[in-house]
Amino acid sequence: SKHFLKVAPAIECWEETHISLIKNVIVPFLLIFIIPPPIFMIYYIAKNSKNPEKEIIQRLFMVTVGYKNRYCYWEFVILLKKIILMYLSIFIRDEPVICVLTLLFVLLVFCNLHLIFKPYEYEFLNNLIVEQYVALFVCYSVFLYFSYTDSKPASMFLIFIMVFANVIFFGHWAYHFYIHFKKSLKNL
């Protein structure tokens, strides 16, 4: 089946015009604006992470705050995960089951990395991220189930499980946010 660009319906995907756009617009854009900035930031953070008083670390405070000093680059691991998930969602979208299985595999890899390194200073943040992964695993697994069945009772049960997993995650997040906010107000 043929696919066409949504922004330019006259252009068929992966034909000469589309390939030309990718080569002449997208690739240079990626090579100039998307890939180098994170690489340079990682380099400067890694180079200066041993001395948190340095000006560069203070400038990049929003990117490094909350992480253990040796994992101050972890925000870029998260960025890499998001980029991989986005590209997989775009380029494998015609095969939804394969797409979801691939996304589950990527999430499993990043969840394991998180469990191995535990990059956050506070243990509750590491636990919240694991709960986030569990909620994502449940959501993707429910999608896979819905791809293969029309069973109403099982569907309702799985929707309940999916909502429950997300409520648990958001409940813990809201609780810790409240506790942190309360401590911040006391410190003023």
Side-chain angles (χ1 to χ4, degrees):
S1 71
K2 293 183 178 184
H3 297 281
F4 297 89
L5 295 180
K6 288 185 180 182
V7 294
I11 299 175
E12 186 177 345
C13 292
W14 306 113
E15 292 298 318
E16 186 177 339
T17 306
H18 187 222
I19 302 275
S20 175
L21 282 171
I22 291 171
K23 283 185 198 173
N24 297 322
V25 177
I26 307 252
V27 170
F29 184 80
L30 285 171
L31 293 175
I32 295 170
F33 297 108
I34 303 298
I35 296 171
I39 290 172
F40 288 127
M41 286 179 72
I42 290 171
Y43 170 75
Y44 284 117
I45 289 172
K47 182 179 173 185
N48 297 298
S49 66
K50 295 197 183 356
N51 186 358
E53 301 302 318
K54 284 202 172 184
E55 184 180 338
I56 189 74
I57 294 297
Q58 291 174 352
R59 281 191 202 161
L60 299 173
F61 178 74
M62 291 301 294
V63 178
T64 62
V65 69
Y67 298 109
K68 296 174 185 171
N69 279 345
R70 66 182 177 268
Y71 302 121
C72 59
Y73 59 84
W74 199 260
E75 194 65 33
F76 298 102
V77 173
I78 295 170
L79 178 65
L80 177 65
K81 175 188 72 174
K82 290 177 181 179
I83 290 170
I84 291 170
L85 293 175
M86 179 187 65
Y87 277 102
L88 289 173
S89 297
I90 290 170
F91 290 114
I92 311 178
R93 73 172 183 258
D94 292 338
E95 298 289 337
V97 173
I98 293 172
C99 182
V100 170
L101 289 171
T102 308
L103 293 173
L104 279 170
F105 176 74
V106 170
L107 287 174
L108 184 63
V109 168
F110 279 95
C111 182
N112 281 324
L113 287 174
H114 184 84
L115 288 169
I116 290 167
F117 294 108
K118 295 186 177 187
Y120 291 101
E121 288 179 17
Y122 303 106
E123 192 60 29
F124 78 88
L125 288 174
N126 288 312
N127 293 338
L128 278 175
I129 296 301
V130 172
E131 287 181 21
Q132 174 194 19
Y133 280 114
V134 169
L136 285 169
F137 291 143
V138 169
C139 289
Y140 282 129
S141 299
V142 168
F143 172 81
L144 282 176
Y145 179 80
F146 283 134
S147 297
Y148 287 107
T149 188
D150 293 335
S151 171
K152 293 286 182 200
S155 298
M156 293 307 291
F157 176 71
L158 288 174
I159 288 173
F160 172 77
I161 296 293
M162 184 175 68
V163 169
F164 183 73
N166 282 283
V167 166
I168 293 293
F169 166 67
F170 284 115
H172 284 161
W173 177 85
Y175 170 76
H176 288 293
F177 180 81
Y178 171 74
I179 297 296
H180 181 72
F181 184 71
K182 195 173 167 182
K183 284 181 185 175
S184 297
L185 287 178
K186 284 183 182 178
N187 292 336
L188 290 178

